Amino acid sequence: MKPLDPRDPLVGMTITELERAMMSLGEKPFRGRQIADWIYAHGIASFGEMTNLPLPMRTHLEEHFRVGSLEERGRRETPDRRTRKVAYALDDGGLIESVYMSTTRRYTFCLSSQQGCGFACRFCATGRMGRGRNLTSGEIVEQALRLRRELPPGQKEFNVVFMGMGEPLENYDAVMRALDLITGPHGLHVPTKRITISTVGLVPQILRLASEGRRYRLAISLHAATDDLRSKLMPVNRTFPLEPLMRAVRTHIERVGERVTFEYILIEEINDTLADAAKLVRLVGQLPCRVNLIPYNPIGPGRFRRPSPERIQRFVDHLGPRVPAVTVRYSQGVEIGAACGQLAGEKEIALR
Ligand code: SAH
């Protein structure tokens, strides 16, 4: 475990907070604006690079603050480098993972919102870690800043998905604060439509998102179309069953005016039969939505298996004409343990 650093990180602070931090050092407030520019617009990682600040001021800053708080502890990359899983150590020693994903068309950063996860979905590796702690908004923003440095030169656009470790809506305030910075004009300036929040289905928070009119894309981890099966796969369904969940989703669609994505892992014999497909159509077919089918990614020993391509196709064929949009997402990075559900703060990558 690394020794605790008493200096506050600046990453995660808004312009106003940075101005105040500068005043606390006896500096002029406009310095805060300059620092925000270095950190969020230019993405620099050290005070030494802030070349428009006088040298003594950089030293002074260094004594009282640090830029960020995450420490890279290891990474795994696919041979083509299109998928990169990076492990970061938090101040208190915990590990989180973030994933950089690229195709010829787009770049997507998959961020963690918590260290560990308390929802214990049966198919998910993070769910086996148990509840950890909420990440701070700074720790969330810093993941995006660090992954942005991985982009090829000249590439400015990227998407952000909260599909890493943890349940973003359980850490609502920090995630929204982080998103204010990620989307803000003085922050990373990412358009809201490029942000997706994925949730196990926390009804009160979905309603809160709707009432606050935040135009982020919403993805619901559905995975089953009946309460009986969903409660077995996802214990959270006992607290928020399908009926109130779907009502909240409808409210969100009405208020925000965007279609919602339903994620549905396909697990052989568990939820991939034609009867399951028919139930799914009945549940979501009338809504403006996209169904994202994710063939199950193995997470170690267990009785779950990924269906054959034929079974997957049969499911897709049934849904195709009956729901507004269907996609099959073959997760990137399965071979490096970076795919959906496989993030678990592995100690071994930390040791490399
Ligand atoms: N807690 C949020 C954010 C994590 S998202 C949520 O559950 O939505 C991670 C996505 O990967 C979710 O849709 C999750 O259900 C899915 N997933 C989890 N384990 C998986 C596995 N073994 N194979 C494929 N997808 C998985």
Side-chain angles (χ1 to χ4, degrees):
M1 188 156 153
K2 61 179 175 171
L4 283 183
D5 191 328
R7 299 171 304 164
D8 280 339
L10 296 180
V11 167
M13 291 189 189
T14 61
I15 287 244
T16 319
E17 289 164 343
L18 286 168
E19 287 171 347
R20 262 193 234 122
M22 290 312 107
M23 291 194 297
S24 76
L25 294 187
E27 301 286 350
K28 296 257 167 46
F30 80 94
R31 297 297 188 188
R33 206 163 267 272
Q34 287 179 309
I35 291 173
D37 203 45
W38 282 117
I39 293 180
Y40 300 123
H42 299 287
I44 63 91
S46 69
F47 294 114
E49 295 163 82
M50 299 185 178
T51 47
N52 60 356
L53 306 185
L55 255 180
M57 184 186 162
R58 288 185 237 165
T59 318
H60 191 199
L61 274 172
E62 184 93 52
E63 285 161 11
H64 292 87
F65 293 102
R66 42 192 170 140
V67 177
S69 69
L70 300 181
E71 197 179 284
E72 182 171 330
R73 275 299 173 79
R75 63 166 63 215
R76 280 198 199 163
E77 302 184 343
T78 53
D80 61 12
R81 299 200 75 222
R82 283 200 173 171
T83 305
R84 308 171 193 178
K85 174 167 83 162
V86 191
Y88 299 109
L90 305 173
D91 259 349
D92 51 15
L95 285 179
I96 56 163
E97 293 172 346
S98 318
V99 186
Y100 169 99
M101 295 174 284
S102 57
T103 67
T104 45
R105 285 176 298 120
R106 62 169 164 259
Y107 296 83
T108 304
F109 303 165
C110 180
L111 308 186
S112 294
S113 55
Q114 299 180 315
Q115 199 261 326
C117 185
F119 289 91
C121 299
R122 300 291 175 240
F123 41 76
C124 179
T126 311
R128 295 184 178 176
M129 296 172 70
R131 191 174 300 280
R133 73 158 166 90
N134 280 335
L135 299 187
T136 63
S137 52
E139 288 163 340
I140 295 168
V141 173
E142 193 174 346
Q143 295 172 61
L145 286 173
R146 282 170 173 264
L147 293 183
R148 192 174 61 175
R149 290 181 208 134
E150 312 260 330
L151 289 171
Q155 178 64 39
K156 299 239 176 317
E157 287 174 354
F158 56 89
N159 303 307
V160 170
V161 298
F162 282 90
M163 297 190 187
M165 292 161 66
E167 167 52 41
L169 294 188
E170 193 182 42
N171 187 14
Y172 193 95
D173 292 331
V175 168
M176 295 311 143
R177 239 184 79 93
L179 282 176
D180 286 342
L181 276 168
I182 289 173
T183 57
H186 300 295
L188 285 76
H189 222 332
V190 178
T192 50
K193 64 170 198 303
R194 291 188 173 274
I195 311 280
T196 300
I197 300 175
S198 180
T199 176
V200 294
L202 302 185
V203 167
Q205 285 91 324
I206 294 170
L207 293 173
R208 186 169 165 198
L209 268 179
S211 71
E212 292 174 354
R214 295 179 183 267
R215 302 179 66 86
Y216 304 127
R217 301 251 144 114
L218 181 64
I220 305 288
S221 287
L222 198 59
H223 310 319
T226 62
D227 278 321
D228 193 36
L229 179 59
R230 193 164 189 270
S231 295
K232 283 187 190 133
L233 295 175
M234 304 177 69
V236 68
N237 193 68
R238 299 192 191 115
T239 315
F240 301 114
L242 287 169
E243 216 268 316
L245 174 59
M246 298 307 289
R247 229 183 306 127
V249 168
R250 274 193 292 272
T251 305
H252 187 274
I253 293 171
E254 281 159 22
R255 289 282 181 85
V256 177
E258 292 280 353
R259 71 175 168 190
V260 68
T261 297
F262 292 105
E263 291 164 284
Y264 191 99
I265 304 179
L266 287 168
I267 313 174
E268 185 169 71
E269 302 285 359
I270 305 278
N271 68 355
D272 73 334
T273 66
L274 276 183
D276 293 310
K279 286 176 196 153
L280 183 56
V281 168
R282 245 172 281 142
L283 190 67
V284 307
Q286 301 304 315
L287 291 172
C289 70
R290 163 183 302 279
V291 176
N292 211 336
L293 300 170
I294 317 168
Y296 171 71
N297 296 313
I299 55 158
R303 58 207 166 78
F304 292 161
R305 284 183 314 271
R306 169 182 286 209
S308 65
E310 294 73 33
R311 287 181 75 97
I312 295 173
Q313 195 55 47
R314 187 181 64 167
F315 204 92
V316 176
D317 289 343
H318 186 85
L319 252 53
R322 297 177 179 87
V323 301
V326 190
T327 45
V328 184
R329 186 168 80 209
Y330 280 97
S331 306
Q332 289 188 27
V334 177
E335 65 278 31
I336 58 167
C340 300
Q342 294 186 313
L343 303 185
E346 294 167 284
K347 294 284 188 281
E348 79 257 35
I349 79 164
L351 295 174
R352 286 161 110 214

